[in-house]
């Protein structure tokens, strides 16, 4: 173990429980649990990074490629869970058609545990789960489903603050992960209950050691990806994308429309930039079939979750589900949008003035070339008309087929735009199918429209993420609250057009063309359809960072990382990159924040999700085949 790790609480967190007895574990599970506990403890201790030391961008692994689908107990049952309820829910998931529609996880939230054995092994409440978790997992698995459990980064769970033996995993991360693996658990929800941020790192390392030793892969859902100043007990936002397979982005949902609306607003601003290969933003479980939502509100709820590629986790009582709720949850075209293999989170098109505007157009590319999913959302209390311009979706001129996925009806082939009237709190979810712009010869990326662009538009904390970027050259820095992702820029007190005379600068060298970014994370994507051979650019942290943050640049092609710059900060010489993209259909250019560097020295936090994380894709070009 490194000196840095030993000087932090990790030494206690990692080693607690490593030498205990196994008497509380069923005999069939002892061999696996013992093997994991004793053979891997040293490896785990060596593999967990210090909370404040750099975590390499290359450490990100793609463990799961699609957002999970299933059911979670909390929304309806809270801490009142038991073995009979879970078995009946598993039966209902099969009989209702949810399993066959793709819902496979049953997640038991808070309330399942009851203290620890004398050796530290966590216990399932014997009154609630008399057969034990291993037997319950076997039952769930026999139905073609998977089982999830909940724990926290504190000594008790969030509900356990009131007592009742609801213990958390702080100090027992490795031991609890090993016990859950032995039981056959497939998903772990790891909550923030004001414990230790370092506990998240310990749990990630424990799960990695289990997978390496036994091959058991457990999905890790974290809480939160959000501002580090507001939630100091969680990892920095950029780090969560490497630690977890998904993470919550906002407060808990409830039965009321106001909380659904709040999550939509948070998702619009925060989620798309964080949704990257191997990571999705969790907008919490569904409230449909359980909440005080009108039919229009329920459809909006599911539609926005779908375009954001969010986990589809039902939260209602499946044993009492009505046909309307069943239809909402099992619409195959809506599920296909959520589960699209590109995995983009929808960015805002034609951004309206102000962060809290009442109508929105949220769009993302789909796997099929020329296809987009678009949610036209009216959060207002009056009916509203919305028009989406196909050029704003990055499509070429020509006729575009529009399809309403809720009604399964083609609305016709249209030119230039599509308009619709939306009821209060209503959403229309459509797919559009057109043609991608032709790329030929030497292409200056700063002069063509992207297929997708996602920026962190938080503007409410000292770690504000301000983005200065536009489709038209020259892209340059300016102090803005947000930038419209649209060919028609909107200007008012909240939005501003980038100032053209402020050039990008890397280590004193100025650039007139490219993308100047104030605030990680960001991503920009282009549809190449295997028609280009090489991507080139000069990359580096811009000289304007003050104090200097740290970033890394990543180039991805179809879910494969093609290039990683490693950590860069202001003052570093620009790197000239040449990336082979000859077999790439969808190219992603991603900038993430990094621990380390001058900012880390000053505040002992990374600048991730921060205006300090300045980054330039200077002179970006594609070398494509000629027509």
């Amino acid at each position: 173990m490194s000196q840095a790790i030993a000087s932090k609480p990790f030494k206690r967190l990692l080693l607690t429980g490593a030498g205990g007895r196994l008497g509380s574990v069923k005999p069939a599970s002892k061999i696996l649990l013992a093997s994991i506990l004793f053979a891997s403890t040293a490896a785990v201790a060596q593999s967990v990074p210090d909370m404040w030391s750099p975590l390499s961008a290359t450490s990100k692994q793609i463990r799961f490629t699609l957002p999970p689908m299933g059911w979670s107990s909390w929304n309806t049952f809270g801490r009142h869970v038991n073995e009979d309820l879970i078995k009946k829910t598993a039966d209902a998931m099969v009989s209702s058609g949810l399993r066959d529609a793709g819902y496979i996880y049953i997640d038991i939230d808070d309330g399942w545990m009851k203290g620890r054995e004398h050796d530290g092994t966590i216990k399932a409440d014997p009154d609630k789960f008399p057969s034990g978790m291993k037997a319950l997992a076997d039952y769930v698995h026999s139905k073609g489903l998977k089982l999830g459990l909940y724990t926290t980064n504190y000594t008790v769970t969030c509900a356990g603050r009131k007592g009742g033996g609801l213990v958390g995993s702080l100090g027992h991360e490795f031991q609890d992960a090993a016990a859950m693996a032995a039981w056959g658990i497939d998903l772990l929800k790891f909550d923030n209950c004001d414990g230790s941020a370092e506990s998240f790192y310990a749990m990630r390392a424990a799960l990695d050691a289990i997978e390496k030793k036994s091959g058991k892969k457990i999905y890790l859902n974290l809480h939160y990806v959000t501002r580090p100043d507001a939630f100091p007990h969680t990892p920095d936002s950029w780090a969560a994308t490497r630690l977890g397979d998904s993470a919550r982005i906002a407060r808990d949902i409830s039965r009321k429309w106001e909380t659904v609306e709040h999550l939509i607003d948070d998702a619009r601003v925060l989620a798309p930039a964080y949704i990257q290969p191997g990571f999705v933003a969790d907008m919490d479980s569904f409230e449909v079939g359980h909440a005080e939502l009108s039919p229009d509100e329920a459809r909006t709820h599911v539609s926005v979750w779908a375009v954001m590629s969010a986990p589809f986790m039902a939260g209602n009582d499946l044993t009492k589900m009505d046909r309307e709720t069943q239809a909402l949850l099992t619409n195959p075209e809506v599920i296909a949008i959520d589960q699209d293999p590109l995995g983009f989170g929808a960015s805002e098109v034609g951004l309206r003035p102000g962060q809290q505007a009442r109508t929105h157009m949220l769009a993302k590319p789909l796997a099929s070339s020329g296809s987009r999913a678009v949610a036209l959302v009216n959060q207002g209390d009056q009916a509203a008309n919305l028009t989406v311009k196909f050029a704003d979706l990055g499509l070429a001129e020509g006729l575009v087929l529009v399809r309403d996925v809720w009604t399964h009806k083609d609305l016709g082939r249209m030119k230039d735009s599509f308009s619709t009237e939306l009821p209060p709190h209503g959403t229309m979810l459509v797919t559009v199918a057109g043609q991608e712009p032709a790329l030929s010869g030497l292409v200056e990326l700063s002069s063509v429209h992207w297929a997708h662009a996602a920026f962190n538009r938080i503007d409410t904390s000292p770690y504000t993420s301000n983005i200065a970027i536009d489709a038209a050259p020259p892209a340059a820095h300016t102090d803005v609250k947000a930038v419209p992702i649209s060919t028609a820029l909107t200007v008012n007190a909240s939005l501003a057009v980038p100032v053209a005379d402020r050039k990008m600068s890397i280590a004193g060298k100025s650039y007139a063309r490219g993308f100047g970014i104030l605030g990680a994370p960001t991503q920009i994507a282009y549809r190449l359809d295997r028609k280009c051979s090489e991507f080139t650019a000069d990359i580096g942290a811009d000289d304007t960072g003050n104090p200097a943050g740290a970033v890394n640049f990543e180039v991805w092609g179809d879910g494969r990382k093609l290039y990683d710059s490693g950590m860069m900060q202001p003052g570093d010489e620009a790197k000239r990159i040449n990336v082979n993209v000859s077999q790439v259909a969808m190219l992603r250019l991603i900038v993430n924040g990094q621990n380390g560097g001058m900012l880390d020295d000053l505040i002992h936090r990374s600048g991730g999700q921060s205006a300090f994380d300045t980054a330039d894709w200077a002179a970006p070009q594609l070398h494509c085949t000629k027509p």
Side-chain angles (χ1 to χ4, degrees), residues 149-173:
L149 286 180
Y150 166 101
T151 187
T152 77
N153 68 336
Y154 193 45
T155 56
V156 295
T157 69
C158 292
R161 293 187 181 112
K162 299 179 181 179
L166 304 183
V167 296
S169 290
L170 181 63
H172 294 269
E173 291 86 354

Side-chain angles (χ1 to χ4, degrees), residues 478-495:
T478 186
D479 294 326
V480 298
K481 296 296 184 185
V483 125
I485 307 171
S486 171
T487 53
L489 297 180
T490 304
V491 182
N492 73 349
S494 297
L495 305 176

Side-chain angles (χ1 to χ4, degrees), residues 113-248:
M113 65 290 288
K114 183 76 170 182
R116 295 183 179 276
E117 300 286 359
H118 58 275
D119 66 351
T121 303
I122 194 168
K123 296 191 301 181
D125 188 324
D127 294 326
K128 295 181 176 181
F129 299 92
S131 301
M133 281 298 171
K134 178 66 170 64
L136 181 58
D138 289 344
Y139 183 87
V140 170
H141 292 157
S142 74
K143 300 292 182 179
L145 303 169
K146 298 183 177 182
L147 188 63
L149 286 180
Y150 166 101
T151 187
T152 77
N153 68 336
Y154 193 45
T155 56
V156 295
T157 69
C158 292
R161 293 187 181 112
K162 299 179 181 179
L166 304 183
V167 296
S169 290
L170 181 63
H172 294 269
E173 291 86 354
F174 184 69
Q175 189 178 27
D176 289 357
M180 292 178 190
W183 292 337
I185 300 305
D186 305 290
L187 178 148
L188 175 60
K189 177 179 176 180
F190 198 61
D191 202 356
N192 166 41
C193 296
D194 300 328
S196 167
E198 293 164 330
S199 184
F200 288 85
Y201 288 85
M203 185 58 77
R204 174 72 271 158
L207 296 180
D208 286 346
I210 288 167
E211 182 181 355
K212 182 178 181 180
K213 183 66 180 179
S214 69
K216 175 67 175 177
K217 185 184 295 186
I218 298 176
Y219 189 100
L220 180 59
N221 172 257
L222 300 179
H223 203 232
Y224 281 99
V225 166
T226 189
R227 301 189 306 276
D229 56 313
F231 294 92
H233 304 293
T234 61
D236 288 352
S237 299
W238 69 268
T241 66
R242 288 155 171 78
L243 295 173
D245 304 300
S246 61
R248 287 278 301 282

Side-chain angles (χ1 to χ4, degrees), residues 62-85:
I62 298 180
R63 293 168 288 265
F64 298 88
T65 58
L66 297 174
M69 299 177 63
W71 173 87
S72 178
S73 61
W74 184 259
N75 287 4
T76 297
F77 300 101
R79 61 188 289 179
H80 304 294
V81 291
N82 58 63
E83 183 176 307
D84 184 59
L85 168 67

